[in-house]
């Protein structure tokens, strides 16, 4: 007695190859990280209300997660309906965290480029601290320096 094996049709071969490729693609897509989800809070230009934006930031930046977030925060809102927290031209000189305390040093452009009549620095620093604590809840205190001189202590 002779045993005969059924021949696989080309349709089943192609369907098998397709399902293996699809499975591999789904696994690779699920493993890919889109970055860390961060929220940004800005003041509205039309009223005193706050606008909240969500962005995905790189989780493996060379500067560190906090410095990367602060750099994005300084750049400002994506929307034109929101004000920047600090004046254009402000740069971050240094930023480090020690024992749950964050030390941030900004350039003196923060003061030089500000409009003295319309800028409320205590409100801007409070909004900055609110953003930091919303995204990094482990930080208990934030110290803000301008060119090495302490400007705001939470």
């Amino acid at each position: 007695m002779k045993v005969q094996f059924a021949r696989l049709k080309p349709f089943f071969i192609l369907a098998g190859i397709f399902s293996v490729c699809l499975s591999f693609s789904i696994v690779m897509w699920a493993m890919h990280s889109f970055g860390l989800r961060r929220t940004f809070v800005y003041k509205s230009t039309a009223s005193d209300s706050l606008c909240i934006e969500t962005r995905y930031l790189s989780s493996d930046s060379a500067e560190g997660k906090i410095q990367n977030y602060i750099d994005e925060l300084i750049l400002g809102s994506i929307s034109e309906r929101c004000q920047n927290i600090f004046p254009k031209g402000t740069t971050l000189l240094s930023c480090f965290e020690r024992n749950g305390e964050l030390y941030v040093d900004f350039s003196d452009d923060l003061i030089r480029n500000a409009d003295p009549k319309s800028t409320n620095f205590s409100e801007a620093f409070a909004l900055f601290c609110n953003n930091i604590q919303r995204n990094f809840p482990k930080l208990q205190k934030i110290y803000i320096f301008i060119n090495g001189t302490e400007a705001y202590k939470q």
Side-chain angles (χ1 to χ4, degrees):
M1 184 169 187
K2 204 175 196 185
V3 178
Q4 291 185 348
F5 293 103
R7 274 187 78 202
L8 292 176
K9 295 185 178 180
F11 171 76
F12 292 117
I13 293 172
L14 289 176
I17 291 172
F18 177 75
S19 63
V20 168
C21 290
L22 181 66
S23 300
F24 179 75
S25 296
I26 289 173
V27 168
M28 293 306 289
W29 177 79
M31 289 175 47
H32 180 267
S33 174
F34 295 106
L36 298 171
R37 183 178 185 264
R38 300 289 184 202
T39 57
F40 295 83
V41 180
Y42 297 100
K43 188 175 176 185
S44 174
T45 55
S47 65
D48 285 338
S49 64
L50 298 176
C51 302
I52 298 176
E53 293 180 2
T54 302
R55 299 183 207 164
Y56 287 90
L57 301 181
S58 174
S59 57
D60 56 348
S61 67
E63 305 92 27
K65 295 175 186 173
I66 297 174
Q67 186 169 347
N68 187 25
Y69 176 79
I70 293 172
D71 285 337
E72 284 289 321
L73 188 63
I74 291 173
L75 284 176
S77 173
I78 296 172
S79 171
E80 293 178 5
R81 298 177 305 212
C82 299
Q83 300 174 10
N84 289 344
I85 293 178
F86 299 124
K88 293 267 189 211
T90 302
T91 56
L92 180 66
L93 299 178
S94 66
C95 168
F96 67 93
E97 182 259 334
R98 183 182 298 149
N99 299 328
E101 296 179 346
L102 180 66
Y103 299 87
V104 182
D105 190 11
F106 292 109
S107 66
D108 61 350
D109 295 328
L110 188 144
I111 297 171
R112 224 178 326 150
N113 296 343
D115 182 16
K117 296 176 185 173
S118 65
T119 303
N120 184 349
F121 286 110
S122 62
E123 187 178 292
F125 290 143
L127 186 56
F128 174 79
C129 292
N130 179 15
N131 273 293
I132 297 295
Q133 288 185 325
R134 177 184 289 257
N135 289 281
F136 303 97
K138 292 182 181 178
L139 297 175
Q140 292 132 10
K141 289 187 178 180
I142 300 171
Y143 298 93
I144 298 175
F145 296 84
I146 298 174
N147 262 4
T149 305
E150 189 171 11
Y152 182 80
K153 178 179 174 183
Q154 185 188 23

